[in-house]
Amino acid sequence: MEAALFDLDGTLINTERRSLAMWRMLLENHGIEPHEALVRRFMGRRGRDILPEIMPGADVLALVEEVMSYADHPGLPDIVPVPGAADLVRRVAEKGSPLALVTSAHRAWAVERLAEIGVGDLVRTIVSGEDVAVGKPDPSGYLMAASLIGVEPARCVAFEDSLAGIEAAQAAGMTCVAVATTHAPEELAHADLVVPDMSGIEWPLTELDLV
């Protein structure tokens, strides 16, 4: 593998519990029962892609702004790094390998979180949810990132935690390492490799690492 492409939420930082809590608040405020199966549909995907399925005809941009306004709500789970994530990003950079971030989140959020875990100066290529017409599980974000760093998709490995993210990476023709931070390992078994977190992952990965 020549290049490493990283998802953000759930892969480099543990924020999914926080994000899902915010989506629950939004649904409740609009009279929709936030049952688990419904809320989990947001995992790894852009809110603007999911909301029309759940609330047809609603003002999606207004709803996205509303959920973002909950960011400072007291009682939300803390944002913490995924173990080993920042170290892996540093190892990739130290080897001189191309790397990029491919996230469904807004660019400003991504830049702030990368800085918080100490790798903001290393991740210079970011494809955010604002940069693509269609979000994950569509592969366009990963394909855009591969093009920007100048590496064929087949020579890229993507690190993902969500089902939508794995589908996007594999549809782009990339190897995918699934990080079991937000899903049970058995749910992620279709990825090329499943790991509990990012600790101890060596770089570069070889085919033997993926067996």
Side-chain angles (χ1 to χ4, degrees):
M1 300 294 107
E2 295 177 16
L5 279 61
F6 297 94
D7 173 51
L8 179 63
D9 296 286
T11 301
L12 298 183
I13 53 173
N14 269 322
T15 52
E16 288 292 3
R17 288 179 58 242
R18 180 180 181 276
S19 296
L20 295 185
M22 292 167 65
W23 288 119
R24 287 190 184 94
M25 292 166 61
L26 178 78
L27 295 175
E28 287 176 343
N29 287 345
H30 289 268
I32 299 173
E33 175 62 33
H35 57 80
E36 190 67 14
L38 180 61
V39 175
R40 282 173 65 88
R41 288 170 63 183
F42 288 95
M43 297 181 73
R45 298 186 64 187
R46 301 187 308 182
R48 71 179 79 173
D49 295 328
I50 296 296
L51 288 168
E53 301 173 6
I54 298 173
M55 305 168 69
D59 185 337
V60 171
L61 293 181
L63 291 173
V64 170
E65 289 183 6
E66 180 181 341
V67 78
M68 290 175 66
S69 73
Y70 303 154
D72 296 323
H73 194 278
L76 286 175
D78 292 334
I79 301 171
V80 295
V82 170
D87 288 338
L88 178 57
V89 173
R90 294 188 188 102
R91 281 196 290 275
V92 174
E94 286 168 1
K95 292 290 185 179
S97 300
L99 61 93
L101 187 80
V102 182
T103 177
S104 297
H106 287 249
R107 179 175 293 268
W109 168 266
V111 169
E112 289 177 8
R113 303 291 81 75
L114 290 172
E116 285 178 358
I117 63 174
V119 298
D121 58 331
L122 302 178
V123 185
R124 298 174 182 174
T125 301
I126 298 174
V127 177
S128 71
E130 301 148 284
D131 298 321
V132 293
V134 184
K136 301 173 185 177
D138 187 272
S140 56
Y142 276 110
L143 292 173
M144 181 183 294
S147 177
L148 289 171
I149 61 176
V151 179
E152 290 294 324
R155 302 303 302 164
C156 296
V157 57
F159 294 88
E160 272 283 358
D161 71 292
S162 70
L163 299 180
I166 294 170
E167 184 178 342
Q170 291 183 330
M174 298 179 181
T175 297
C176 188
V177 174
V179 188
T181 55
T182 57
H183 291 73
E186 54 269 24
E187 295 180 85
L188 309 174
H190 55 296
D192 297 281
L193 177 68
V194 180
V195 295
D197 55 37
M198 306 285 263
S199 300
I201 298 177
E202 297 299 328
W203 185 263
L205 287 180
T206 68
E207 291 183 1
L208 290 176
D209 295 318
L210 301 169
V211 174

